[in-house]
Amino acid sequence: MTTVNNVTEIILLGFSPKQDVQKIISVMFLLMYTAIVLGNGLIVVTVIASKGLTSPMYFFLSYLSFVEICYCSVTAPKLIIDSFIERKTISLKGCITQIFFLHFFGGTEIFLLTVMAYDRYVAICKPLHYTAIMNRHVCGLLVGAAWGGGLLHSVGQTFLIFQLPFCGLNVLDHYFCDVHPVLKLACSDTFLIGVLIIINGGTISVVSFMVLLASYVVILNSLRTRTSDGRRKALSTCASHIAIVGLFFIPCSFVYLRPCVTLPADKIVAVFYTVITPLLNPLIYSFRNAEVKNAMKRLMRRTVIWEEK
């Protein structure tokens, strides 16, 4: 059966109907987006350029930072540009494309965080076998699996949305396209598709969260036999990861692990997992890490010397 779409473009209402308020929000997003690109980009460059950051933890961190840049870039640039345009629109195909990349990078991030929890489990609970278990080949496979998992999740969500006919309402009360708000625009019964969307997103979130939880229960249990110094060092590393997991999973769970309805708070909650988490990632994970900070200083010194030559 062919899907009929009379709607060719969607109007995005953004954060506020007042243009002045939208412009203020745009400036804030521009500053945050710039900080996200620079901060996470610096981590990626530092890990690639530094010979001292060769452990799997930093290998995964560089990919996480790259994904954070991509994830934020799906929504932030359009919001910044739209704030200076009175009529904010996006084509239907562009809207579905935005949903695809939003869930592709979001799903990849969830899987990467799960992989990083497994890495911490092996490092703390099996330190003597760590280098044998987490060798370069295994790390590459785990990163590839994270990207593949994100792709499968995204294809599933996009395919379900693609089946819907859009032939009436074309006003979206959001600042970007996502599955729940777009479902409201469909001119057919969306109950079954809504359930499948929740199952797709919910399964990934719940399974990943259970793996994360199990990893940290085992880690915390194993720390009872460690010295106070060892416990402090392990907890410091794990605390950074738990902070990012909390900042990302809690808002995502609020939006995606519920019936397909939209709430006024959704736009604010979305800012946390699309902007705030990528913004805080460099601060939480890296700038408080002595090895990363030293590697960044060495990189800066090399850059200055190279420019002087």
Side-chain angles (χ1 to χ4, degrees):
M1 187 175 175
T2 307
T3 302
V4 179
N5 292 320
N6 296 329
V7 173
T8 57
E9 68 174 18
I10 292 169
I11 299 169
L12 299 169
L13 295 183
F15 278 100
S16 172
K18 297 178 180 179
Q19 195 69 10
D20 290 342
V21 175
Q22 280 285 118
K23 286 179 180 178
I24 293 169
I25 292 169
S26 171
V27 172
M28 291 169 61
F29 266 74
L30 177 60
L31 292 173
M32 289 190 290
Y33 181 63
T34 304
I36 287 165
V37 173
L38 293 176
N40 286 286
L42 181 58
I43 291 171
V44 174
V45 172
T46 302
V47 172
I48 292 171
S50 175
K51 294 178 180 179
L53 303 179
T54 55
S55 76
M57 180 176 73
Y58 299 116
F59 176 74
F60 296 132
L61 178 59
S62 66
Y63 276 98
L64 179 66
S65 297
F66 175 71
V67 170
E68 296 279 34
I69 294 171
C70 296
Y71 189 46
C72 187
S73 298
V74 176
T75 58
K78 179 157 180 60
L79 171 70
I80 293 163
I81 295 166
D82 281 354
S83 297
F84 296 95
I85 302 169
E86 194 169 336
R87 192 169 182 269
K88 306 160 187 63
T89 62
I90 185 171
S91 68
L92 182 60
K93 288 181 180 178
C95 185
I96 293 172
T97 302
Q98 191 175 51
I99 290 172
F100 172 81
F101 284 108
L102 183 76
H103 286 267
F104 174 45
F105 293 121
T108 303
E109 181 166 350
I110 287 174
F111 288 119
L112 271 175
L113 289 170
T114 308
V115 166
M116 291 173 80
Y118 174 70
D119 172 65
R120 291 299 84 207
Y121 158 74
V122 177
I124 294 168
C125 298
K126 299 183 179 181
L128 297 178
H129 305 285
Y130 180 60
T131 51
I133 295 172
M134 300 300 291
N135 59 60
R136 204 71 177 174
H137 178 67
V138 170
C139 290
L141 287 175
L142 289 172
V143 168
W147 283 103
L151 180 62
L152 286 174
H153 164 67
S154 180
V155 167
Q157 299 292 68
T158 310
F159 176 78
L160 292 170
I161 291 293
F162 203 73
Q163 304 306 303
L164 296 171
F166 298 95
C167 50
L169 187 68
N170 72 330
V171 179
L172 201 69
D173 188 15
H174 215 302
Y175 68 95
F176 63 85
C177 290
D178 203 358
V179 285
H180 290 185
V182 170
L183 275 179
K184 291 181 69 177
L185 304 184
C187 51
S188 67
D189 182 24
T190 60
F191 176 76
L192 179 58
I193 286 180
V195 170
L196 292 173
I197 283 171
I198 294 169
I199 290 170
N200 183 8
T203 302
I204 290 171
S205 298
V206 170
V207 170
S208 297
F209 186 73
M210 293 305 292
V211 171
L212 287 163
L213 191 64
S215 297
Y216 282 106
V217 166
V218 175
I219 287 170
L220 291 173
N221 186 55
S222 72
L223 290 179
R224 292 187 302 176
T225 58
R226 300 290 179 90
T227 62
S228 58
D229 236 15
R231 275 199 301 270
R232 190 163 53 251
K233 192 177 288 186
L235 286 171
S236 175
T237 307
C238 293
S240 301
H241 189 253
I242 292 169
I244 290 292
V245 167
L247 282 167
F248 188 76
F249 268 85
I250 293 170
C252 280
S253 299
F254 174 79
V255 173
Y256 298 112
L257 291 179
R258 69 166 198 244
C260 290
V261 294
T262 55
L263 299 174
D266 284 351
K267 284 186 274 190
I268 303 299
V269 173
V271 173
F272 278 89
Y273 61 83
T274 59
V275 178
I276 302 299
T277 302
L279 180 66
L280 294 178
N281 176 53
L283 297 173
I284 292 173
Y285 253 122
S286 306
F287 295 150
R288 60 189 293 271
N289 182 303
E291 285 185 325
V292 175
K293 284 194 291 187
N294 291 333
M296 285 179 177
K297 287 174 184 175
R298 287 194 297 271
L299 179 64
M300 294 296 184
R301 280 199 295 269
R302 286 209 306 268
T303 305
V304 170
I305 293 167
W306 184 80
E307 285 179 350
E308 286 176 352
K309 288 179 181 179

